[in-house]
């Protein structure tokens, strides 16, 4: 009985030691990715300090960025009514240029760049209704519910989520779609399997070495 207990205790210790390095490696990987993201963001310093920050609160607890998106949505409606994309194209360009003052690489800048590309595409009459309607639906959901589908789609690109190295899978995509809306930039926690998977090769090696003893 004592020998069986010793074997069980030894197996538990070996399993724990096999899992620990995996957890440590996963944590170190996340730290390295976060550090790379911080270094990349460090190069996106403010160019003109006198311009107000998009995060500055303006009214009713809403930041300046919310009102800029509201104006964007209104101009999309104007463009649809006038059957010309010029108003929203000019505004989307100014909106993106303003945001370049604060960031040139992050997810929020990419959103504004997509709006510029969508406005350019709407210059083609056959595409105008589809492109502008898609932008309007996305902006309306973001302004009213805080749910931005384009932002969530961009989050799936690995370079946009250095803190979450999780591989793209059906489960990951469903979590991205179902994640509740929160203030600030969209993100989700890495899946539990990412850091909880034991290293059975190391466990088997440790077990073989104990048998030799």
């Amino acid at each position: 009985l004592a020998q069986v207990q010793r074997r069980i205790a030894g197996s538990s210790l070996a399993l724990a030691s096999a899992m620990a390095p995996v957890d440590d490696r996963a944590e170190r990987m996340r730290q390295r990715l976060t550090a790379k993201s911080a270094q990349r963001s460090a190069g996106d310093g403010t160019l003109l300090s006198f311009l107000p920050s998009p995060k500055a609160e303006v009214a009713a607890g809403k930041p300046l960025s919310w009102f800029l998106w509201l104006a964007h949505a209104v101009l999309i409606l104007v463009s649809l009514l006038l059957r010309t994309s010029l108003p929203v194209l000019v505004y989307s360009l100014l909106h993106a240029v303003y945001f370049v003052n604060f960031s040139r690489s992050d997810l929020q800048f990419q959103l504004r760049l997509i709006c510029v590309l969508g406005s350019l595409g709407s210059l083609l009459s056959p595409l105008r209704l589809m492109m502008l309607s898609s932008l309007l639906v996305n902006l309306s959901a973001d302004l009213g519910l805080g749910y931005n589908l384009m932002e969530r789609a961009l989050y799936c690109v690995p370079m946009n989520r250095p803190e979450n190295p999780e591989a793209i899978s059906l489960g990951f995509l469903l979590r991205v779609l179902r994640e509740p809306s929160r203030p600030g930039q969209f993100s989700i926690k890495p899946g539990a399997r990412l850091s909880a998977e034991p290293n059975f090769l190391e466990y088997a090696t440790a077990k073989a070495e104990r048998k030799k003893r």
Side-chain angles (χ1 to χ4, degrees):
L1 180 61
Q3 187 176 2
V4 172
Q5 290 177 342
R6 283 196 299 272
R7 287 183 179 178
I8 294 174
S11 299
S12 300
L13 289 173
L15 181 59
S17 62
M19 293 178 65
V22 178
D23 292 341
D24 292 341
R25 283 197 297 272
E27 182 61 29
R28 285 196 297 270
M29 181 183 294
R30 281 194 290 270
Q31 290 175 356
R32 284 197 298 269
L33 290 171
T34 303
K36 288 181 181 179
S37 176
Q39 291 173 359
R40 188 164 59 245
S41 299
D44 287 1
T46 302
L47 298 177
L48 302 174
S49 58
F50 63 86
L51 288 177
S53 169
K55 298 179 181 179
E57 186 175 318
V58 176
K62 301 292 186 182
L64 176 60
S65 59
W66 189 90
F67 289 95
L68 292 175
W69 283 124
L70 177 63
H72 205 138
V74 170
L75 283 171
I76 290 177
L77 282 173
V78 171
S79 295
L80 286 171
L81 292 173
L82 297 179
R83 297 183 180 180
T84 174
S85 300
L86 192 59
V88 69
L89 176 59
V90 172
Y91 181 83
S92 62
L93 285 170
L94 292 174
H95 192 181
V97 169
Y98 159 77
F99 202 81
V100 163
N101 184 63
F102 305 96
S103 173
R104 274 77 68 192
S105 63
D106 72 357
L107 198 149
Q108 295 301 319
F109 170 71
Q110 294 173 39
L111 279 174
R112 288 157 176 83
L113 186 59
I114 287 177
C115 287
V116 172
L117 296 176
S119 300
L120 283 171
S122 68
L123 290 174
L124 301 173
S125 298
L127 298 178
R128 182 180 300 130
L129 181 60
M130 180 186 70
M131 301 296 287
L132 294 184
S133 298
S134 299
L135 292 175
L136 182 59
V137 169
N138 187 78
L139 286 179
S140 299
D142 185 28
L143 292 168
L145 305 173
Y147 191 98
N148 193 317
L149 186 59
M150 288 197 304
E151 181 180 22
R152 292 172 186 245
L154 287 171
Y155 180 81
C156 294
V157 179
M159 65 172 289
N160 287 332
R161 49 183 175 90
E163 77 290 347
N164 185 356
E166 184 177 353
I168 295 177
S169 63
L170 179 60
F172 172 79
L173 295 175
L174 290 176
R175 286 169 51 225
V176 168
L177 291 174
R178 296 172 179 174
E179 183 73 13
S181 301
R182 294 186 300 271
Q185 185 162 297
F186 176 81
S187 66
I188 62 174
K189 294 181 179 179
R193 291 178 58 188
L194 183 66
S195 60
E197 203 170 67
N199 190 332
F200 290 105
L201 179 60
E202 293 184 9
Y203 170 66
T205 303
K207 186 175 181 180
E209 289 179 354
R210 284 199 313 276
K211 285 183 178 180
K212 291 178 181 179
R213 297 174 186 173

